[in-house]
């Protein structure tokens, strides 16, 4: 913006936030009980509130545009993908010249150019490459992902940032809300997750439809559908014929691989009198592609962005807490309260603490887990994570592991790589899940004195 | 509901860098779940597990030595690969021992409903172990993967039994060679 236009641009700014100010500077019947109307809320949204957008695809482009236009400036976008021709019909921040470039970077550049004042930052990498320190800086995370693995990972990350007080109650300042959107054809959902407080991804894992699979014997012997032929080549023929040598894994993004599968699937289809095996279908089956509908993405992203706005401003209570939408026949939405599972592996795990002498052996921890009235376990299997690697400390139920970890019992826990504040993971029949237990070393002043 | 952040709470920046260092990486949900599954693994006496790396609970082998049925006396090794999406997706199970069986093909693919279309997250490694054991006690010719074997089981049980024996002792059945897998 040219410097001479300062006056008119700030007028424009005034008009630009006119409608949002009505929401933030007035009270109303749907406001959150704690809501205090104030012009500072807009300042918070514009200057302080940091929002992470995970995914810069169909939903991500919409989310970035929506949030930027709502006034959020401190936006970060993560996406590991690059732009493909088939994205351009709905991922409207990308142009034909951008094909092959990073989605996150292109989306961010476009929005920063188009929306005055927006300072979005791009991260072109897998979400797993960013660490706790990165995720902790955000007030809100919103995601438009196409993968359950990524959602679960992100969910686990936000859970691991939770802090608990000494009385095991949740420290609410450590909660980073997650707003999650998903679409599939004309259907979609949007939900709000308050980690540690409301149902999380892992609590509702059984809501995700299982991946469509066919019985192996059907695809092997009695194929009826073109998909059966493609599955057969994918599951059986690829491994058998190993066309690229060295047990090369089938890559749905490699056109040569797809062409090979397509050709073999066609042969098989002809043999069984099946028609309609096409290259597109082959690609679809290999990559599990579900047709994306631009308007579904727009609607779901708008819901998610609205929830982010409500969270940031408290100007309205959030949806409680899971909305499904179906636009296949008219428009239908339904919102329900997904319940937090008391035994959820991810969010019920308010870490327990075991106090132990710094020079204790693993055996002493094991005994404590069995004898301490707070635990009373039967045969705990103990593992931990050291330098990002899983380590089995002791497990009695599996003979071959027991034999090789038995010696650990005699070792000092510090020699096993454990330290004050380290987490051990304990599985036992007495608990519905593997529980995380934090080691707390008792201060042993005598030892210090003796030196 | 709570009011999650007051306007005062703008400390995120400093906090982000301050507490970042030295924290322990968390185990994945799949890891937590498989630990639980394995700690409660209750194997029938015909089965055993082997962990090439005791720190890697996601990759292991199951050895089944049936003590009755057509496959009595054999020793069959299955490899289990548990992916990051467990238990949303089942483990990948392959039979590493060549076996003449209606529901296991010569590449080691296993046709067991709970390994594919009927998998549910409530099922455990134990469920799969029992499923596999059942395949050896009651081969199912209705859903064949090795069609030859299935047809034979249906048309000539005697001959099928002989062929199973021959395969387990090591030898040819038809044009396929089977390594000896008797205990």
């Amino acid at each position: 913006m040219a410097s001479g236009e300062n006056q008119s641009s700030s007028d424009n700014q005034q008009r630009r936030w006119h409608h949002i100010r009505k929401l933030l500077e007035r009270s109303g019947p749907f406001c959150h009980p704690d809501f205090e109307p104030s012009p500072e809320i807009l300042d918070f949204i514009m200057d302080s509130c940091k929002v992470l957008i995970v995914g810069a695809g169909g939903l991500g482009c919409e989310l970035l545009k929506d949030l930027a236009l709502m006034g959020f400036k401190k936006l970060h976008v993560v996406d590991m993908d690059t732009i493909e021709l088939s994205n351009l019909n709905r991922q409207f921040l990308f142009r034909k010249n951008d094909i092959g470039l990073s989605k996150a970077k292109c989306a961010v550049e476009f929005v920063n150019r188009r929306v005055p004042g927006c300072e979005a930052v791009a991260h072109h990498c897998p979400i797993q490459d960013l660490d706790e320190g990165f995720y902790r800086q955000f007030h809100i995370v919103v995601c438009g992902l196409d993968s359950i693995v990524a959602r679960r990972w992100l969910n686990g990350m936000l859970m691991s940032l939770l802090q608990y007080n000494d009385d095991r109650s949740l420290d609410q300042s450590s909660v980073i809300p997650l707003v999650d959107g998903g679409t599939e054809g004309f259907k979609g959902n949007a939900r709000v997750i308050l980690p540690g407080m409301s149902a999380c991804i892992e609590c509702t894992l059984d809501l995700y439809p299982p991946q469509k699979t066919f019985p192996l014997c059907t695809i092997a012997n009695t194929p009826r559908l073109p998909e059966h032929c493609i599955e057969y080549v994918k599951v059986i023929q690829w491994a058998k014929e190993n066309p690229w040598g060295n047990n090369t894994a089938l890559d749905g993004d490699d056109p040569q691989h797809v062409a090979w599968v397509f050709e073999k699937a066609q042969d098989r289809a002809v043999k069984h009198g099946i028609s309609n095996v096409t290259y597109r279908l082959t690609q679809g089956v290999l990559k599990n592609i579900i047709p994306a509908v631009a308007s579904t993405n727009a609607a779901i992203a708008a819901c998610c962005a609205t929830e982010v706005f409500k969270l940031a401003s408290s100007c309205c209570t959030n949806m409680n807490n899971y909305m499904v939408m179906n636009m296949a026949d008219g428009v239908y939405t339904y919102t329900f309260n997904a319940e937090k599972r008391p035994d959820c592996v991810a969010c019920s795990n308010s870490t327990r603490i075991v106090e132990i002498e710094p020079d204790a052996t693993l055996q002493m921890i094991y005994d404590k887990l069995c004898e301490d009235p707070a635990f009373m376990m039967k045969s705990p299997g103990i593992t931990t994570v050291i330098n990002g690697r899983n380590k089995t400390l002791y497990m009695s139920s599996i003979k071959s592991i027991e034999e090789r970890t038995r010696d650990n019992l005699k070792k000092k826990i510090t020699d096993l790589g454990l330290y004050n504040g380290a987490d051990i993971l304990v599985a036992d029949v007495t608990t519905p899940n593997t529980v995380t237990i934090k080691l707390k070393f008792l201060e042993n002043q005598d030892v210090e004195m003796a030196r | 509901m709570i009011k999650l952040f007051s306007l005062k709470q703008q400390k995120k920046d400093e906090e982000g860098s301050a507490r970042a260092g030295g924290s322990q990486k968390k185990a994945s949900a799949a890891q937590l779940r498989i630990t639980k599954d394995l700690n409660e693994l209750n194997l029938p006496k015909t089965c055993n597990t082997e962990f090439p790396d005791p720190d890697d609970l996601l990759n292991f082998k199951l050895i089944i030595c049936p003590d009755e049925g057509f496959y009595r006396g054999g020793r069959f090794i299955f490899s289990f690969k548990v992916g990051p999406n467990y238990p949303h997706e089942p483990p990948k199970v392959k039979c590493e021992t060549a076996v003449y069986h209606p529901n296991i093909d010569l590449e080691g693919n296993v046709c067991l409903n709970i390994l594919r279309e009927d998998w549910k997250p409530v099922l455990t490694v134990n469920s799969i172990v029992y499923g596999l054991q059942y395949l050896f006690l009651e081969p199912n010719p209705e859903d064949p993967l090795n069609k030859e074997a299935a047809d034979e089981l249906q048309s000539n049980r005697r001959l099928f039994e002989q062929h199973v024996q021959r395969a387990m002792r090591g030898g040819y059945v038809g044009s396929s060679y089977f390594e000896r897998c008797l205990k």
Side-chain angles (χ1 to χ4, degrees), chain A residues 192-421:
Chain A
V192 176
I193 296 168
L194 302 178
M197 301 174 66
S198 66
C200 76
I201 299 280
E202 214 70 37
C203 291
T204 57
L205 202 59
D206 46 1
L207 289 182
Y208 294 112
Q211 213 175 40
K212 205 169 149 193
T213 49
F214 307 103
L216 207 51
C217 16
T218 304
I219 63 172
N221 292 300
T222 50
R224 297 179 307 275
L225 300 172
E227 286 88 344
H228 290 158
C229 302
I230 301 164
E231 273 287 299
Y232 177 81
V233 180
K234 175 186 164 187
V235 178
I236 295 177
Q237 220 166 335
W238 181 271
K240 198 191 243 172
E241 301 193 13
N242 192 8
W244 264 256
N246 301 326
N247 292 321
T248 309
L250 178 54
D251 178 1
D253 288 319
D254 184 330
Q256 284 181 301
H257 288 195
V258 180
W260 189 89
V261 174
F262 171 49
E263 199 179 297
K264 299 285 170 183
Q266 255 182 335
D267 293 348
R268 189 166 170 79
V270 169
K271 218 164 89 188
H272 289 89
I274 297 166
S275 49
N276 292 331
V277 172
T278 61
Y279 186 84
R280 263 187 88 87
L281 183 75
T282 308
Q283 239 181 343
V285 172
L286 290 184
K287 291 184 69 184
N288 236 322
I289 295 176
I290 294 139
V293 176
S295 46
T296 314
N297 283 339
I300 290 296
C303 290
C304 291
T306 309
E307 294 305 317
V308 171
F309 185 81
K310 291 191 219 168
L311 283 165
S313 66
S314 299
C315 71
C316 183
T317 48
N318 276 102
M319 73 157 77
N320 188 19
N321 51 28
Y322 198 121
M323 184 207 71
V324 289
M325 182 183 73
N326 190 342
M327 309 203 296
D329 188 15
V331 178
Y332 171 80
T333 75
Y334 175 69
T335 305
F336 65 97
N337 177 9
E339 284 184 28
K340 189 172 184 300
R341 283 179 61 145
D343 61 346
C344 172
V345 261
C347 73
S348 68
N349 220 345
S350 65
T351 306
R352 301 167 76 170
I353 289 173
V354 68
E355 295 190 327
I356 197 96
E357 308 283 340
D359 59 352
T361 59
L362 187 64
Q363 181 76 54
M364 288 161 84
I365 294 189
Y366 186 89
D367 293 346
K368 199 162 176 117
L369 291 173
C370 296
E371 290 157 16
D372 190 321
F375 297 105
M376 298 288 270
M377 290 181 168
K378 297 285 179 217
S379 63
I382 309 174
T383 64
T384 188
V385 183
I386 290 172
N387 298 329
R389 281 204 71 225
N390 296 301
K391 184 175 169 71
T392 307
L393 295 172
Y394 184 70
M395 195 177 271
S396 60
S397 61
I398 306 227
K399 208 171 138 239
S400 63
I401 294 186
E402 199 277 336
E403 285 166 3
R404 274 188 289 174
T405 54
R406 194 184 294 158
D407 284 345
N408 286 347
L409 288 174
K410 284 178 248 157
K411 291 185 188 160
K412 282 191 185 178
I413 51 176
T414 45
D415 293 340
L416 290 165
L418 296 172
Y419 48 90
N420 191 13

Side-chain angles (χ1 to χ4, degrees), chain A residues 19-271:
Chain A
H19 296 288
I20 280 187
R21 281 188 192 283
K22 285 185 183 167
L23 290 170
L24 302 180
E25 295 171 19
R26 296 177 187 178
S27 196
F30 300 110
C31 290
H32 192 276
D34 291 341
F35 179 62
E36 290 163 23
S38 147
E40 286 168 36
I41 301 173
L42 186 57
D43 295 338
F44 171 72
I45 286 174
M46 296 209 284
D47 303 331
S48 310
C49 189
K50 284 186 127 176
V51 180
L52 175 66
I53 301 170
V54 185
L59 277 171
C61 280
E62 292 276 355
L63 283 167
L64 180 59
K65 171 262 291 174
D66 290 350
L67 293 171
L69 291 175
M70 276 174 164
F72 290 94
K73 289 179 178 173
K74 312 267 187 214
L75 297 166
H76 285 238
V77 180
V78 195
D79 197 311
M80 63 184 285
D81 277 347
T82 52
I83 296 157
E84 287 175 44
L85 178 66
S86 62
N87 302 146
L88 301 183
N89 71 328
R90 61 191 186 286
Q91 299 176 21
F92 51 86
L93 302 176
F94 310 138
R95 298 292 174 266
K96 212 167 173 182
N97 279 341
D98 299 331
I99 289 172
L101 302 178
S102 153
K103 285 188 176 181
K105 287 183 182 157
C106 286
V108 157
E109 278 167 24
F110 191 109
V111 167
N112 284 348
R113 205 163 55 229
R114 182 67 182 72
V115 182
C118 187
E119 302 161 13
V121 180
H123 304 272
H124 179 214
C125 62
I127 54 171
Q128 291 84 350
D129 284 4
L130 298 161
D131 63 5
E132 283 193 19
F134 174 80
Y135 288 99
R136 191 181 282 122
Q137 67 180 309
F138 295 101
H139 289 94
I140 303 169
V141 177
V142 52
C143 65
L145 289 165
D146 58 359
S147 124
I148 297 171
V149 177
R151 279 193 178 84
R152 292 177 68 190
W153 189 91
L154 192 63
N155 187 65
M157 170 55 79
L158 296 182
M159 295 305 159
S160 74
L161 295 178
L162 295 177
Q163 304 273 333
Y164 289 87
N165 302 318
D166 288 344
D167 60 356
R168 292 180 61 193
S169 65
L170 180 63
D171 171 4
Q172 293 193 343
S173 73
S174 67
V175 173
I176 300 174
L178 173 66
V179 179
D180 176 51
T183 69
E184 200 174 281
F186 285 102
K187 297 176 197 160
N189 77 286
R191 62 188 297 193
V192 176
I193 296 168
L194 302 178
M197 301 174 66
S198 66
C200 76
I201 299 280
E202 214 70 37
C203 291
T204 57
L205 202 59
D206 46 1
L207 289 182
Y208 294 112
Q211 213 175 40
K212 205 169 149 193
T213 49
F214 307 103
L216 207 51
C217 16
T218 304
I219 63 172
N221 292 300
T222 50
R224 297 179 307 275
L225 300 172
E227 286 88 344
H228 290 158
C229 302
I230 301 164
E231 273 287 299
Y232 177 81
V233 180
K234 175 186 164 187
V235 178
I236 295 177
Q237 220 166 335
W238 181 271
K240 198 191 243 172
E241 301 193 13
N242 192 8
W244 264 256
N246 301 326
N247 292 321
T248 309
L250 178 54
D251 178 1
D253 288 319
D254 184 330
Q256 284 181 301
H257 288 195
V258 180
W260 189 89
V261 174
F262 171 49
E263 199 179 297
K264 299 285 170 183
Q266 255 182 335
D267 293 348
R268 189 166 170 79
V270 169
K271 218 164 89 188

